[in-house]
Amino acid sequence: TSKSSSSTLALPDIPTTSSSSLISGMTGGGSSKGFGGGSGGGIGSGKGVGVGNGRNFLGAFGANFKRANSLEGTLYDLKFAPGGRALGSGDAERIAQMKRAFDSLDGGWSGAKKLLDQRYKQAELKLYAGNIFIPPRNAAEATKAFECEKEIKAPGWLAYYEGWFAVPESGQYRFVGLGDDMMAVAVAEKTVYTAFWPSSGLGKVVKFGNNWLPKGADDNDGRNLRFPPNGGGRYSGEWLDLKRGQAYRIQIAFSESFGGLFGAQLLIERKGEKYQNNGREDLLPVFMLEPMTTEEIKLKACKNLDYVTEGPSFGVELNNVSVRTTSR
């Protein structure tokens, strides 16, 4: 269902309590305190996803320990049901399951986690991410990050993250970025952003507004957008009217089923804000709930997207907003 490119989505208030003080403008150069998580924490090497040598680690897909300003992530195997029943591992079957999953999510985000739990096998390990910014890499890196290489084989998986965020300042915001093979974001249980691999036919699966697709997406079925950077390579979502002091539920899903490389990079734009431009695109900040550490910035360095790692933080705790979990 297409929407007017000039429309703005006003989101319903979710019951919260907030204090009068507000932390705004937290930047990527801020404190990294707490990312180590204890013995053996931090970003190490060896698995290609930032796994440390001890019990705790922080990698491209998140950390294996809970943090206040983070989203909880679950990895699903699109090839098997929870009891082990095969759903199909061929190319056509994997892609069909990916399309089915995103169609179901868009049709009812309120029960998204329950639906995925009932339909697909999942990794035992949960990861906690302060951002969804994963540069292109081999699809098998997801199963390594969730420590399920033996149980779940790439390709054919879907990662689902959920949590809460709050804006440092009231205004109109939208999500911007890239997603390969598919990516969707819901705020207040409504789809507000989608991205997909150009010329793959996936655009017929996910909903998008008139102004969501990159410039040139209709030229040669978008093939010129396959290998950015180039002008107009990013997808942009719905403008959202967001209020300071209010918590908003966010759900993010991204999936890989074609094989080879995948990527998921989510930025944030505020209407009326002036951003630096490198001649191709405005340099928008990564959407992050907490500042990225120096190690994380190096780990997630991305050459196929124009972006900056310094910008506001959208974590509810950093913005002094409390969420009443019973309102979910």
Side-chain angles (χ1 to χ4, degrees):
T1 303
S2 296
K3 301 178 182 178
S4 170
S5 60
S6 61
S7 64
T8 300
L9 180 62
L11 299 174
D13 289 347
I14 299 173
T16 63
T17 57
S18 61
S19 65
S20 58
S21 61
L22 182 72
I23 301 176
S24 63
M26 298 291 288
T27 66
S31 172
S32 61
K33 183 178 181 181
F35 266 174
S39 175
I43 300 175
S45 60
K47 287 193 175 183
V49 290
V51 177
N53 294 321
R55 293 180 305 165
N56 297 333
F57 67 83
L58 171 66
F61 290 79
N64 68 342
F65 52 92
K66 290 186 178 182
R67 308 199 304 280
N69 298 288
S70 64
L71 308 173
E72 182 179 88
T74 304
L75 187 72
Y76 294 93
D77 190 344
L78 299 177
K79 303 179 294 298
F80 291 92
R85 179 174 60 88
L87 301 176
S89 58
D91 291 351
E93 295 164 313
R94 294 195 313 268
I95 295 169
Q97 283 296 335
M98 180 174 64
K99 292 180 178 180
R100 182 189 179 202
F102 276 88
D103 182 66
S104 298
L105 292 175
D106 187 61
W109 284 97
S110 61
K113 183 66 168 58
K114 182 178 180 180
L115 180 147
L116 294 172
D117 287 347
Q118 293 176 344
R119 186 180 293 177
Y120 302 112
K121 176 182 177 181
Q122 64 179 272
E124 292 185 9
L125 180 66
K126 304 292 184 185
L127 293 181
Y128 301 88
N131 59 76
I132 301 298
F133 193 84
I134 307 173
R137 59 190 60 208
N138 191 284
E141 296 296 330
T143 62
K144 293 180 181 179
F146 282 86
E147 298 184 355
C148 59
E149 303 101 309
K150 295 181 180 180
E151 296 80 14
I152 299 178
K153 302 294 183 181
W157 52 257
L158 182 147
Y160 171 83
Y161 287 76
E162 64 179 4
W164 299 84
F165 76 98
V167 296
E169 299 291 343
S170 297
Q172 293 182 13
Y173 296 80
R174 68 176 178 178
F175 293 102
V176 178
L178 296 173
D180 172 15
D181 294 323
M182 295 184 71
M183 185 178 186
V185 177
V187 174
E189 300 177 352
K190 295 182 180 180
T191 302
V192 299
Y193 168 88
T194 57
F196 49 90
W197 184 244
S199 70
S200 62
L202 298 177
K204 299 178 181 179
V205 180
V206 292
K207 293 181 181 179
F208 52 85
N210 291 333
N211 205 33
W212 292 18
L213 298 179
K215 292 176 292 184
D218 295 328
D219 299 338
N220 194 24
D221 198 22
R223 291 183 185 276
N224 61 310
L225 301 176
R226 280 194 164 197
F227 299 101
N230 56 59
R234 303 185 303 201
Y235 292 72
S236 301
E238 185 84 359
W239 284 108
L240 308 175
D241 188 8
L242 304 177
K243 300 177 182 178
R244 187 179 73 174
Q246 179 67 48
Y248 298 94
R249 188 184 184 199
I250 184 169
Q251 297 161 278
I252 303 172
F254 55 94
S255 180
E256 195 285 328
S257 274
F258 280 83
L261 301 179
F262 85 97
Q265 300 111 50
L266 195 62
L267 311 177
I268 190 75
E269 179 181 7
R270 184 183 180 190
K271 182 175 285 190
E273 189 84 10
K274 292 185 178 180
Y275 299 98
Q276 290 185 337
N277 189 293
N278 64 358
R280 290 189 301 259
E281 300 274 15
D282 285 345
L283 299 178
L284 302 179
V286 173
F287 173 70
M288 48 193 169
L289 301 188
E290 60 187 2
M292 298 172 67
T293 66
T294 301
E295 294 84 358
E296 190 178 11
I297 291 172
K298 292 179 180 178
L299 176 69
K300 298 189 173 189
C302 180
K303 296 182 179 180
N304 78 321
L305 187 68
D306 300 317
Y307 70 100
V308 293
T309 55
E310 294 186 356
S313 292
F314 293 84
V316 290
E317 184 176 272
L318 287 178
N319 288 294
N320 291 335
V321 177
S322 298
V323 178
R324 294 179 183 175
T325 56
T326 54
S327 66
R328 296 182 63 177

